[in-house]
């Protein structure tokens, strides 16, 4: 028997895996009440906003993929809000800024997470909003034991809170300091907001409306009522941003009113007998499909990619450098009619040509391809980052704080996967709206996000800042099908590393035959040899970050090939979640990441 840190759970009713045990159990409670995977995912998602406020919040973003139940075809639900109408390059230039700040009101995209969760509940769920949101209301109103990492995050930004973000200080500080780990923390303002929203569902029910009409009433109250008005009014207040500028935001009530989460077709590819579904190129998801395809081409037809060898790790890392270079040149929502179709970036001849660039020695170059003969163009700041010049410094409020070099998880993002007995699977990666991303809005109980930092003020790029266009997000859920039937949902926090860590899991599980938990536990690695998505957009050419459990022989062999290997200890990288279903017998299974001692899978 192969040792794993915990068992791969198996059962027949349903499974939930998420980055916090309370969220997993809340999702499972919906399955126990007869709800489906969509109901469970929404319950878990709203609880994550309460118990992991340093990782996501109601003012953040959400992409998800769902398939199964009555419809096996995968569908993407985009809850990535766009740039507000007033977020123009000219506005930032007039404020003396040459980039979007990493935190503060000006970094705010239109909130999309709540709209997307409620849309999923209405369109694919079976339970009422009041039932599904009850756990989140309870924890916000009556408290939850605050995580040590939440306390540490608050402590790092406590000076900012006390000196400038006074509303955040009032919510998160206790006698001027971060709350003690394990103490009960509440968010009464968010509980009040949820109660006001749910009252609209109750009123619709009294008026004779059905379940969907009730959820529509909640959505209207969010988009067009007191929430939008409070966001617009609060944004007019000036607060300190990363870099020190004290400025108001530009988001308005009309920006919130204008946004609705959208159902979209996924980008898919066939790989090793499976169909892998990802978001479009407004997210980084298709890089996973590119990297897997290029690694296969470089390895040779039918050969296994062995990630316990120097050759296997080297090949996958070099494929990732090429995929991320393409991300920088071709991914984004701002190119409009000139956008490169994902089909061209995933075409067999294109991937073959790209894979031919993989050599025996590690590359330190940023080498985007030329799909369809197009000439790639990279942002000037990205080129400076690749050359080792980083403009501006990060502070405790900026970016998406991911796993640190010493293995400590400062914060990050969340993830939840759910599978039910009827074969529906949901993979969702909520993020943004962290307590450290923007000042707390006391009238609502939430902070806005900072996703606009992923857009360049330089124009003419696929990810240039254009009002109404979505930032090119790193959030990247995954859904896998076999013979047209959904069989696996997975994902992880990790910013730029999300898809890299998922590629390691998928190779080990789908190709190497490792069980879900074994594949989650197995040693992980990634490269940072490309411009980062978060302020200050740094790049580390040639760097390969790895867990020591890969073994000295492998790590030394990678160094011999020119990789700058950073050994991060045995258990430091990745926060994978996964659920699966065997369509032949209906058995469902789940696994969760032991790193950080926080993620949990439940089911029966």
């Amino acid at each position: 028997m192969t040792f794993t840190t915990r068992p791969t759970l198996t059962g027949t009713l349903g499974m939930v895996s998420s980055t916090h045990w309370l969220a997993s159990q809340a999702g499972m409670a919906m399955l126990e009440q007869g709800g489906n995977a969509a109901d469970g995912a929404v319950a878990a998602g709203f609880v994550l906003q309460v118990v992991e406020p340093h990782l996501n919040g109601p003012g953040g973003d959400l992409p998800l993929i769902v398939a199964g139940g009555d419809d096996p075809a995968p569908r993407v639900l985009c809850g990535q809000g766009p740039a507000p109408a007033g977020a123009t390059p000219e506005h930032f230039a007039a404020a003396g800024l040459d980039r979007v700040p990493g935190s503060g009101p000006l970094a705010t995209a239109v909130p999309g997470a709540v709209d997307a969760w409620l849309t999923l509940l209405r369109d694919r769920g079976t339970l009422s909003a009041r039932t599904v949101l009850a756990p989140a209301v309870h924890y916000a109103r009556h408290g939850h034991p605050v995580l040590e990492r939440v306390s540490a995050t608050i402590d790092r930004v406590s000076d900012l809170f006390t000196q400038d973000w006074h509303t955040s200080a009032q919510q998160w500080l206790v006698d001027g300091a971060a709350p003690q780990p394990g103490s009960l923390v509440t968010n009464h303002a968010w509980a009040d907001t949820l109660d006001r929203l749910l009252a609209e569902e109750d009123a619709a029910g009294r008026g004779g409306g059905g379940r969907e009409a009730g959820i529509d009433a909640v959505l209207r109250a969010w988009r067009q009522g007191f929430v939008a008005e409070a966001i617009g009014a609060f944004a007019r207040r000036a607060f300190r941003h990363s870099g020190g500028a004290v400025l108001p935001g530009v988001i308005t009530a009309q920006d919130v009113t204008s946004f609705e989460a959208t159902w979209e077709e996924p980008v898919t590819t066939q790989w090793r007998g499976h169909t892998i579904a990802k978001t479009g190129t407004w997210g980084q998801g298709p890089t996973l499909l590119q990297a897997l395809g290029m690694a296969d081409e470089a390895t040779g037809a039918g050969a296994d990619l062995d990630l316990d060898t120097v050759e296997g790790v080297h090949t996958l890392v070099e494929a990732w450098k090429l995929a991320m270079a393409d991300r920088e040149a071709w991914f984004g929502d701002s190119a409009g009619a000139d956008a490169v179709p994902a089909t061209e970036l995933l075409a067999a001849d294109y991937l073959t040509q790209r894979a031919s660039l993989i050599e025996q020695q590690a590359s330190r170059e940023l080498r985007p391809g030329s799909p369809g003969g197009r000439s790639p163009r990279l942002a000037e700041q990205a080129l400076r980052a690749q050359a080792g010049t980083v403009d501006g410094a990060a502070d405790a409020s900026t970016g998406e704080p991911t796993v640190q070099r010493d293995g400590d998880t400062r914060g990050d993002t969340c993830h939840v996967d759910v599978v039910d007995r009827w074969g529906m699977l949901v993979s969702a990666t909520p993020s943004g709206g962290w307590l450290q991303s923007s000042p707390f809005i006391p009238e609502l109980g939430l902070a806005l996000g900072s996703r606009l930092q992923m857009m360049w003020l330089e124009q003419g790029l696929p990810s240039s800042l254009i009002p109404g266009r979505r930032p090119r997000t790193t959030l990247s859920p995954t859904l896998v099908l076999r013979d047209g039937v959904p069989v696996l949902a997975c994902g992880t926090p990790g910013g730029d590393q999300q898809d890299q860590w998922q590629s390691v899991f998928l190779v080990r599980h789908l190709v190497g035959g490792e069980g879900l938990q074994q594949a989650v536990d197995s040693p992980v690695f990634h490269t940072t040899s490309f411009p980062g998505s978060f302020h200050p957009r740094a790049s580390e050419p040639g760097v390969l970050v790895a867990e020591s459990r890969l073994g000295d022989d492998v790590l030394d062999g990678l160094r011999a090939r020119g990789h700058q290997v950073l050994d991060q200890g045995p258990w430091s990288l990745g926060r994978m979640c996964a659920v699966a279903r065997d369509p032949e017998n209906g058995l469902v299974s789940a696994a969760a990441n032991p790193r950080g001692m926080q993620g949990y899978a439940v089911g029966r």
Side-chain angles (χ1 to χ4, degrees):
M1 178 182 294
T2 300
F3 174 81
T4 56
T5 57
R6 54 188 76 175
T8 295
L9 305 183
T10 56
T12 56
L13 179 71
M15 295 280 164
V16 185
S17 178
S18 85
T19 49
H20 195 291
W21 62 90
L22 291 180
S24 295
Q25 191 55 52
M28 192 65 203
M30 299 304 116
L31 301 184
E32 296 279 5
Q33 294 179 52
N36 65 15
D39 299 310
V42 176
F46 273 89
V47 168
L48 286 172
Q49 293 174 352
V50 177
V51 301
E52 292 192 319
H54 62 318
L55 309 182
N56 79 140
D61 334 285
L62 170 67
L64 65 85
I65 309 178
V66 58
D70 295 333
D71 184 2
R75 295 278 285 168
V76 169
L77 182 58
C78 175
Q80 175 54 66
T88 64
E90 293 77 15
H91 182 89
F92 285 85
L97 300 172
D98 67 350
R99 68 182 63 213
V100 178
S103 65
L106 272 177
T108 296
V110 178
V114 169
D115 196 288
W117 282 128
L118 292 172
T119 298
L120 175 66
L121 181 64
R122 180 195 64 194
D123 295 351
R124 300 297 291 267
T126 63
L127 302 176
S128 68
R130 181 164 291 282
T131 297
V132 171
L133 271 59
V137 174
H138 171 84
Y139 289 123
R141 177 78 64 200
H142 301 291
H144 59 92
V146 66
L147 296 167
E148 182 178 353
R149 288 178 176 83
V150 177
S151 297
T153 300
I154 295 171
D155 182 65
R156 275 191 296 272
V157 292
S158 60
D159 287 346
L160 173 64
F161 285 4
T162 56
Q163 294 169 12
D164 192 277
W165 293 10
H166 299 144
T167 58
S168 297
Q170 292 164 10
Q171 166 61 26
W172 297 113
L173 300 183
V174 179
D175 297 328
Q180 288 297 309
S183 63
L184 288 181
V185 170
T186 61
N187 187 344
H188 290 155
W190 179 235
D192 291 342
T193 294
L194 289 176
D195 281 342
R196 289 183 68 179
L197 292 171
L198 292 171
E200 298 296 322
E201 181 184 51
D202 297 340
R206 290 193 296 271
R211 191 189 73 89
E212 291 82 0
I215 298 171
D216 276 333
V218 179
L219 280 165
R220 282 194 300 273
W222 173 269
R223 295 168 180 159
Q224 302 171 20
F226 71 99
V227 174
E229 293 169 3
I231 289 174
F234 191 80
R236 292 194 289 271
R237 298 174 58 178
F239 287 94
R240 187 177 124 199
H241 291 67
S242 60
V246 178
L247 298 163
V250 295
I251 190 171
T252 66
Q254 184 56 47
D255 289 317
V256 179
T257 297
S258 299
F259 177 77
E260 294 185 14
T262 52
W263 289 105
E264 302 179 3
E265 293 297 323
V267 174
T268 63
T269 196
Q270 301 299 311
W271 183 74
R272 301 289 184 136
H274 296 82
T275 301
I276 303 179
K278 302 291 290 183
T279 70
T281 52
W282 50 266
Q284 73 175 6
T287 60
L288 173 66
L289 311 182
Q290 283 191 301
L292 292 175
M294 284 187 278
D296 269 3
E297 288 290 335
T299 304
D304 286 339
L305 189 65
D306 187 347
L307 299 185
D308 292 318
T309 66
V310 173
E311 186 66 31
V313 175
H314 171 81
T315 299
L316 187 57
V317 166
E318 293 303 298
W320 268 113
K321 292 175 184 177
L322 296 169
M324 288 306 210
D326 272 358
R327 186 192 74 171
E328 291 304 305
W330 305 115
F331 284 39
D333 192 41
S334 300
D338 295 327
V340 177
T343 51
E344 291 192 27
L345 294 166
L346 295 170
D349 57 347
Y350 180 72
L351 295 180
T352 299
Q353 183 273 323
R354 297 288 282 151
S356 69
L357 299 177
I358 297 176
E359 299 177 339
Q360 290 299 302
Q361 288 296 112
S363 172
R364 293 173 177 261
E365 298 179 69
L366 188 64
R367 299 177 290 177
S370 301
R374 301 171 181 84
S375 296
R377 175 185 160 194
L378 298 171
E380 289 298 322
Q381 288 181 356
L383 292 172
R384 289 200 296 272
Q386 192 69 13
T389 302
V390 176
D391 302 325
D395 61 36
S397 69
T398 58
E400 183 179 59
T402 53
V403 178
Q404 296 186 114
R405 283 292 161 75
D406 60 5
D408 180 33
T409 305
R410 286 170 49 198
D412 201 325
T413 288
C414 306
H415 188 81
V416 58
D417 297 310
V418 187
V419 59
D420 64 31
R421 64 186 122 169
W422 301 287
M424 178 185 288
L425 289 92
V426 178
S427 176
T429 311
S431 187
W434 315 293
L435 64 85
Q436 68 274 26
S437 66
S438 195
F440 185 80
I441 304 177
E443 296 83 0
L444 299 177
L446 57 86
L448 297 174
S450 54
R451 192 66 59 180
L452 285 195
Q453 65 185 285
M454 294 184 172
M455 305 185 88
W456 302 107
L457 295 185
E458 179 183 345
Q459 293 297 289
L461 301 162
S463 54
S464 294
L465 176 65
I466 297 177
R469 299 296 175 88
R470 295 168 288 191
R472 195 271 304 139
T473 182
T474 54
L475 306 177
S476 196
T478 299
L479 202 139
V480 179
L481 300 90
R482 186 171 64 243
D483 299 326
V485 178
V487 295
L488 174 69
C490 65
T492 178
D496 293 310
Q497 282 73 53
Q498 287 183 27
D499 284 299
Q500 295 193 65
W501 293 340
Q502 290 184 71
S503 69
V504 175
F505 168 82
L506 291 172
V507 169
R508 291 188 178 278
H509 177 55
L510 298 181
V511 179
E514 296 182 5
L516 286 185
Q517 191 62 51
Q518 184 183 0
V520 168
D521 286 352
S522 291
V524 180
F525 54 87
H526 66 265
T527 179
T528 53
S529 189
F530 53 87
S533 296
F534 297 94
H535 183 87
R537 311 299 293 265
S539 180
E540 299 176 306
V543 168
L544 193 166
V545 185
E547 291 184 325
S548 58
R549 290 180 300 122
L550 277 174
D552 290 341
D553 289 345
V554 172
L555 297 181
D556 289 343
L558 292 166
R559 292 186 180 100
R561 292 201 180 197
H563 296 279
Q564 183 182 337
V565 176
L566 299 181
D567 183 341
Q568 297 301 287
W571 296 94
S572 58
L573 306 177
R575 292 176 67 205
M576 285 294 305
C577 299
V579 300
R581 182 176 184 271
D582 187 337
E584 294 184 3
N585 55 24
L587 284 176
V588 291
S589 56
N593 175 55
R595 302 164 181 87
M597 297 183 293
Q598 188 174 313
Y600 228 80
V602 297
R604 70 173 181 87

